[in-house]
């Protein structure tokens, strides 16, 4: 998509997808005042998921559980720590 945008708008700067996603993630965290909005466990899960999305061509439901190799990064751990009930 960025190549199409660059072809249509030559002044559009090409940025590696990984960098663009990281920048958007950082902006998203800032908009939500992440330091106050998230405790360490959900923030760790979010960071791991953001890295997975930035480095992987696809995301599967199982990736949500494997964002971390232990309960601190797993989807269920995130759901417990955020007070949200899991639907699976």
């Amino acid at each position: 998509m960025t190549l199409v945008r660059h072809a249509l708008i030559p002044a559009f700067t090409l940025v590696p997808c990984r960098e663009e996603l990281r920048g958007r993630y950082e902006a998203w965290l800032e908009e939500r005042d992440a330091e106050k909005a998230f405790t360490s466990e959900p923030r760790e899960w979010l960071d791991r998921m953001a890295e997975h999305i930035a480095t992987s061509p696809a995301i599967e439901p199982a990736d949500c559980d494997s964002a971390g190799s232990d309960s601190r990064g797993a989807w269920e751990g995130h759901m417990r720590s955020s007070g949200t009930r899991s639907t699976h």
Side-chain angles (χ1 to χ4, degrees):
M1 186 55 129
T2 55
L3 288 176
V4 172
R5 212 175 313 161
H6 180 66
L8 295 172
I9 308 166
F12 179 79
T13 304
L14 289 175
V15 177
C17 182
R18 185 182 218 173
E19 285 181 36
E20 183 176 348
L21 289 171
R22 283 192 177 135
R24 288 181 179 192
Y25 176 59
E26 291 300 322
W28 182 85
L29 289 172
E30 190 173 310
E31 288 172 10
R32 281 149 188 80
D33 197 10
E35 296 299 320
K36 294 178 185 174
F38 302 108
T39 61
S40 63
E41 287 183 17
R43 176 60 191 272
E44 183 178 328
W45 185 85
L46 287 168
D47 291 346
R48 290 179 185 197
M49 287 305 299
E51 182 62 22
H52 179 78
I53 291 166
T55 60
S56 300
I59 186 165
E60 301 292 332
D63 295 330
C64 294
D65 290 329
S66 64
S69 58
D70 55 31
S71 64
R72 291 176 306 153
W75 177 250
E76 291 298 325
H78 163 68
M79 299 299 277
R80 279 191 305 276
S81 67
S82 67
T84 307
R85 294 182 61 161
S86 175
T87 58
H88 60 17

